[in-house]
Amino acid sequence: MFQFVRKVTPKNGAAVPGALAFAAEVTGYLNKAYGIDIKFGIQLFGPPQLFWQFETDSIDKMTMLNAKLMQDRAYLALLQQAKDLWLDGSLEDAVVSFQS
């Protein structure tokens, strides 16, 4: 089992409401359009950071999803609309392999 986690920091406190609205919108879009179970949340302690995560049983499926997303105009438009919400350089992605 593999878990993808994306973390990003809003530019400032004033950007947090817009960041949360974006997180809800993009998560809803991805879940509906691609049938995946992405969840999002915000860090409760420390500086506000938003997280997305989903699980898959295959790195190949994750790679194929990413290739589809890079061709999805609606998804790319959502990203473009939110580009001013984030602290430059704060985006981090991780893929974790879980062993049972």
Side-chain angles (χ1 to χ4, degrees):
M1 179 67 59
F2 300 94
Q3 184 179 69
F4 173 84
V5 180
R6 171 164 285 171
K7 174 177 73 169
V8 67
T9 303
K11 188 176 280 189
N12 53 44
V16 171
L20 285 169
F22 164 77
E25 183 177 9
V26 76
T27 300
Y29 173 77
L30 292 172
N31 285 337
K32 183 176 180 182
Y34 294 94
I36 49 183
D37 187 23
I38 295 177
K39 295 175 177 60
F40 78 94
I42 188 166
Q43 181 170 289
L44 296 179
F45 303 104
Q49 294 181 311
L50 273 74
F51 290 81
W52 288 265
Q53 70 87 21
F54 74 94
E55 295 179 352
T56 183
D57 58 357
S58 164
I59 291 286
D60 290 337
K61 287 181 184 177
M62 194 179 295
T63 301
M64 289 174 17
L65 173 62
N66 189 58
K68 288 179 186 178
L69 290 174
M70 293 301 101
Q71 301 300 315
D72 183 333
R73 290 180 186 207
Y75 172 71
L76 296 174
L78 285 172
L79 296 181
Q80 185 65 24
Q81 291 171 9
K83 68 178 178 147
D84 293 331
L85 295 172
W86 314 115
L87 185 64
D88 288 341
S90 69
L91 178 80
E92 294 181 30
D93 289 342
V95 176
V96 180
S97 174
F98 287 96
Q99 309 300 310
S100 49

